[in-house]
Amino acid sequence: MNMNSRIQRITAKGIIYRDNKILLLKDSKNVWELPGGKIEFGESPEISLVREFREEIGWNDLGIGKLVDVWDFTSTFETIDYQFLVVVFACNSTEEKIVLDKESIEYDWVAVSEIEKLKMKDGYKNSINKFLKEI
């Protein structure tokens, strides 16, 4: 019998595309991901993205476009099983300066030709590929 607790989390992520590059953040485990984060109770995915971009990279100007993808993954930490549902939107901004919060250790504008080589969840790679096919 599984004695682990089970928790589901929904996250909203944004694809920022400029000059054939995608803005990515590296987490403390040296894994690349899209900017964004957990949707708080009562928030829409869009409101969550605006808040997360402000918190994670210091951007106040964020335009949210169409829904690109939805995917999920599971992980276990100690005795808790997590299922994450990831909702990915196409986004844009006039902001240039990036000020990282404590959640990320690095950011980069990664050429789309380099995305497949990165240490990153396949779901993010698939979402980026779907986005690129639609532009």
Side-chain angles (χ1 to χ4, degrees):
M1 183 173 174
N2 185 346
M3 299 304 291
N4 286 2
S5 297
R6 293 179 168 176
I7 296 175
Q8 290 179 305
R9 296 268 191 252
I10 304 171
T11 63
K13 298 289 186 168
I15 296 176
I16 301 285
Y17 177 77
R18 292 183 186 165
D19 301 321
N20 212 33
K21 295 178 180 177
I22 304 285
L23 176 62
L24 297 175
L25 306 179
K26 187 185 279 188
D27 68 17
S28 60
K29 298 175 188 167
N30 285 319
V31 178
W32 291 98
E33 62 182 353
L34 293 168
K38 187 175 101 175
I39 298 173
E40 299 291 345
F41 184 83
E43 281 185 331
S44 68
E46 295 85 356
I47 295 296
S48 172
L49 265 179
V50 169
R51 178 184 51 76
E52 286 287 342
F53 267 71
R54 187 179 324 109
E55 291 175 0
E56 286 188 344
I57 63 174
W59 286 8
N60 292 306
D61 168 46
L62 184 69
I64 300 169
K66 66 183 247 179
L67 178 67
V68 173
D69 199 10
V70 177
W71 55 281
D72 75 302
F73 69 95
T74 59
S75 67
T76 301
F77 180 72
E78 295 179 355
T79 61
I80 302 173
D81 293 328
Y82 291 92
Q83 179 186 22
F84 292 88
L85 185 66
V86 183
V87 182
V88 182
F89 289 89
C91 297
N92 60 70
S93 179
T94 60
E95 303 256 4
E96 296 287 336
K97 183 179 179 186
I98 294 174
V99 179
L100 290 179
D101 73 351
K102 63 183 181 331
E103 289 182 30
S104 302
I105 61 170
E106 184 180 341
Y107 77 90
D108 198 5
W109 289 95
V110 179
V112 295
S113 61
E114 300 295 313
I115 300 284
E116 285 300 320
K117 301 173 188 172
L118 295 179
K119 183 177 176 185
M120 172 192 280
K121 289 194 179 307
D122 287 339
Y124 289 124
K125 293 178 182 181
N126 294 337
S127 293
I128 291 168
N129 286 329
K130 284 182 181 182
F131 168 82
L132 293 170
K133 287 177 184 172
E134 296 177 4
I135 58 170

